[in-house]
Amino acid sequence: MVFKRLMKAMGVGGPSVETVLADPNCRPGGQLEGRIQVLGGDHQVDIDHVTLGLVTRVEVESGDNDYDTTQEFHRQQVTGAFQLEPGQRYDIPFRFAVPWETPVTELYGQHLHGMTMGLRTELEVARAVDKGDLDAVSVHPLPAQERLLDALLRLGFRFARADVERGHIYGVRQTLPFYQEIEFSAAPRYARSMNQLEVTFIADERQMQVVLEVDKRGGVFTEGRDAFGRFTVDHATADRTDWTTELDNWLRQSLTRRGLFS
């Protein structure tokens, strides 16, 4: 009897959990739907709650020590307390809201190098938390984001990588504790003026803020990356703009003002 109590305390023979997504693809502001299957072990347990959390890899700058960490940035409790009998199967359907500022992981059917995203299932039994299942999630751009990214590709920029950095962008309304940078190698027409162009989207239900940053070439800027431009795009009207021409004009004018383009 003592051995059985000890095995229970260690979680041996306890419940298992599996999350099945109806579709792992989503967009910011959308939903993930699926079903959580909790299977009882060899003894009765009291489940305190089942919670879902969206997690991603975040780069943290700490003095001279930069490191990556896994950060949960949105969570949703899908059940309250319930009792699970030995061998019993408990199915929990769910709809999980995806935040508008969620970083994208896919572009035109290709995974963005450097990005990870997952939906984690958390099972709490007697105040002991089991992180349980982790399912990969693919986040596709919003239509407005896709139009701007497509315009950059048409201008000759080529995707390099993407990452998520902890922190807030000055002057930008931001609810999450991090932001995504999508990095492009310079298009040939701008190659003498810049190394890379970095794009950040901060979206909400009505519009998105777009931040452009440029990697310096030749020491003209101060050390590091300088904010290059910032503008707002309404989701409802994004398709009324020729973004290829708009971005080309903006880039040329901004580089010319800094004496980097002629």
Side-chain angles (χ1 to χ4, degrees):
M1 183 64 70
V2 173
F3 178 72
K4 285 186 177 180
R5 286 201 299 268
L6 177 61
M7 294 292 279
K8 284 185 182 181
M10 294 173 63
V12 177
S16 61
V17 60
E18 181 181 5
T19 300
V20 180
L21 290 169
D23 185 351
N25 298 283
C26 64
R27 293 183 192 255
Q31 290 186 333
L32 289 165
E33 298 185 18
R35 185 174 298 273
I36 301 168
Q37 299 171 350
V38 184
L39 184 63
D42 58 15
H43 52 268
Q44 183 188 81
V45 293
D46 292 320
I47 307 294
D48 294 329
H49 67 77
V50 179
T51 300
L52 292 170
L54 203 54
V55 298
T56 191
R57 186 173 61 209
V58 176
E59 182 179 318
V60 181
E61 294 185 4
S62 178
D64 294 331
N65 252 347
D66 294 351
Y67 62 92
D68 290 342
T69 185
T70 299
Q71 180 164 348
E72 180 182 272
F73 61 94
H74 185 61
R75 62 193 280 117
Q76 180 178 315
Q77 185 171 317
V78 293
T79 72
F82 63 94
Q83 192 173 78
L84 192 66
E85 300 296 330
Q88 179 187 358
R89 174 171 162 170
Y90 195 90
D91 285 353
I92 309 162
F94 68 85
R95 288 183 178 179
F96 183 89
V98 179
W100 283 95
E101 293 179 26
T102 299
V104 300
T105 66
E106 315 293 318
L107 182 59
Y108 299 118
Q110 299 295 318
H111 182 76
L112 297 184
H113 175 67
M115 290 303 305
T116 60
M117 188 73 60
L119 187 67
R120 184 167 60 194
T121 306
E122 181 180 288
L123 184 72
E124 183 169 329
V125 182
R127 295 180 298 279
V129 177
D130 179 4
K131 294 300 183 182
D133 215 10
L134 180 64
D135 294 88
V137 172
S138 299
V139 185
H140 299 262
L142 293 163
Q145 294 170 338
E146 205 165 59
R147 287 185 176 92
L148 268 74
L149 294 171
D150 182 63
L152 290 175
L153 295 177
R154 290 176 182 274
L155 287 171
F157 288 91
R158 289 293 174 262
F159 172 73
R161 67 183 306 274
D163 63 10
V164 176
E165 299 190 10
R166 182 176 293 176
H168 287 78
I169 302 173
Y170 178 77
V172 173
R173 297 187 308 276
Q174 185 181 337
T175 61
L176 294 182
F178 54 70
Y179 55 91
Q180 181 182 34
E181 287 187 335
I182 304 176
E183 302 177 6
F184 291 86
S185 56
R189 70 185 76 182
Y190 309 112
R192 296 178 61 184
S193 306
M194 67 173 74
N195 291 318
Q196 284 187 326
L197 181 68
E198 298 169 350
V199 182
T200 295
F201 299 117
I202 306 293
D204 61 27
E205 66 275 9
R206 294 186 302 104
Q207 59 189 20
M208 67 178 182
Q209 300 165 87
V210 183
V211 180
L212 303 178
E213 296 183 53
V214 63
D215 267 353
K216 67 181 182 179
R217 178 179 288 281
V220 177
F221 292 140
T222 56
E223 185 177 356
R225 293 173 292 206
D226 281 355
F228 184 78
R230 183 180 302 155
F231 57 94
T232 300
V233 179
D234 291 334
H235 297 305
T237 59
D239 59 349
R240 302 176 190 173
T241 300
D242 179 354
W243 288 110
T244 305
T245 300
E246 193 78 12
L247 290 174
D248 182 46
N249 289 339
W250 197 336
L251 287 165
R252 288 174 182 270
Q253 292 170 12
S254 297
L255 290 170
T256 300
R257 282 198 301 270
R258 290 162 174 78
L260 296 175
F261 192 85
S262 57

